[in-house]
Amino acid sequence: MAADAQPTPQVPPDGLLSPPPDLNRVPSSAASVLLPLPPPRSEPLLPGGRLEDSVRRRVEKELTNVSRRYVKRGGSPDRSDPLPGFTSFEEVCRELDSLVDVLWKTATPSLQIPLLLRLGSDFTQYVASFPPDPQFSFALLGKLDHCFASLLAGKDIDSGALLPGLQTGPQAGMSVTDMVRCRSLVEQTRLLMAEVMSHELSESGSGSGSGSEGEGNDEDDEEGMDADDAEADIYLGTARVYEKTIVQLGRRLGEPLVDENAPTNVLPSPTCPALA
């Protein structure tokens, strides 16, 4: 076999369960640490078919494995353990991100809606148990936001292209029950991320005032500017959590999310003395 030959994928047709790396996909500016969503299939999987069932069982198994690795987080590394515990939230996000890609590629709402809702709920269970990782957290939530908003709208929320599995309109996607679950997830996640990131801001703010007076220099000024930029990114990222989904839920359910769930009411003010 040639040295550069690709291994035979041990998956059903279309490579849905473990798609090979696509070198033409590059990280987007909005989620630079994660690759953008892959293009979906031209048609959804056959309802009740073998491939649909295989993808469902595989994704459910992988979500269970993520849960097991979460339980074992922070433990002593064991090379013989096939499911070692997570050591950072980046690892969690990368595992969940690969499943988001698989589900999006299926173009099958009957798989995407329940499993993405479960995945989003699992995210809320994990995120507070690790040191905050704004970059990976916001990147993964941005991809979930795109998926949910597109499924609600019946079309790709950015390009406007009709989704293969929703050719008859958005009513073929999320039911009212699904939308209520999605709304609850959005509200919970926004409040949780505001709380998690407020700790990150407090810690970064408490460390930014170290050093004696009069010892400032150009390097200190540059570090201060970088810290300010990082804080601004956290504020913006928190405010944008599920922003597209919020709009689509308002259109489908006929009422907007209440203001009390806005993260700006939870995060400290940028001018707070603790962050000065």
Side-chain angles (χ1 to χ4, degrees):
M1 180 182 294
D4 59 349
Q6 293 294 324
T8 301
Q10 300 178 357
V11 297
D14 292 334
L16 288 170
L17 302 185
S18 56
D22 188 345
L23 300 181
N24 294 321
R25 288 169 57 205
V26 296
S28 65
S29 58
S32 58
V33 295
L34 298 175
L35 291 172
L37 290 164
R41 289 165 43 97
S42 59
E43 296 181 354
L45 301 178
L46 182 66
R50 180 183 60 83
L51 183 53
E52 182 194 44
D53 182 63
S54 180
V55 173
R56 178 183 289 107
R57 287 187 288 105
R58 177 63 180 273
V59 172
E60 289 176 342
K61 178 181 178 181
E62 292 301 325
L63 286 172
T64 299
N65 287 342
V66 171
S67 178
R68 290 174 178 170
R69 294 187 63 188
Y70 165 75
V71 171
K72 294 189 285 186
R73 67 191 183 280
S76 301
D78 183 358
R79 294 183 178 180
S80 63
D81 190 346
L83 290 174
F86 289 118
T87 60
S88 69
F89 196 59
E90 174 185 340
E91 293 180 349
V92 179
C93 288
R94 289 191 181 278
E95 290 293 321
L96 295 179
D97 175 65
S98 66
L99 298 178
V100 172
D101 287 350
V102 167
L103 290 169
W104 185 250
K105 186 176 181 180
T106 66
T108 307
S110 60
L111 289 175
Q112 294 168 329
I113 293 171
L115 291 173
L116 287 174
L117 285 171
R118 175 182 168 182
L119 189 151
S121 178
D122 288 350
F123 174 94
T124 65
Q125 301 298 314
Y126 305 148
V127 63
S129 300
F130 295 88
D133 192 325
Q135 199 174 22
F136 277 91
S137 298
F138 292 145
L140 179 59
L141 288 173
K143 294 179 72 169
L144 284 172
D145 187 25
H146 182 99
C147 293
F148 288 135
S150 298
L151 289 168
L152 285 162
K155 59 184 178 182
D156 187 283
I157 202 66
D158 290 336
S159 69
L162 292 178
L163 297 183
L166 298 175
Q167 296 286 2
T168 59
Q171 67 276 4
M174 285 196 186
S175 66
V176 173
T177 300
D178 293 329
M179 287 187 281
V180 171
R181 287 183 61 198
C182 186
R183 174 175 175 151
S184 177
L185 174 64
V186 166
E187 292 175 336
Q188 179 186 8
T189 306
R190 284 173 64 83
L191 286 170
L192 179 61
M193 290 304 294
E195 180 180 354
V196 169
M197 293 306 156
S198 67
H199 296 323
E200 171 72 3
L201 288 168
S202 298
E203 291 179 5
S204 63
S206 63
S208 62
S210 60
S212 303
E213 293 184 7
E215 293 183 357
N217 53 40
D218 291 342
E219 290 185 2
D220 292 334
D221 291 340
E222 291 180 1
E223 291 178 0
M225 292 176 64
D226 290 341
D228 290 342
D229 289 342
E231 289 183 9
D233 288 343
I234 291 175
Y235 278 107
L236 289 173
T238 306
R240 291 171 177 168
V241 169
Y242 285 132
E243 61 177 351
K244 298 174 183 177
T245 304
I246 289 173
V247 173
Q248 297 304 319
L249 282 170
R251 291 176 177 173
R252 293 290 302 276
L253 293 175
E255 53 182 310
L257 294 179
V258 293
D259 291 338
E260 67 185 31
N261 293 308
T264 51
N265 292 335
V266 181
L267 282 174
S269 168
T271 57
C272 176
L275 300 180

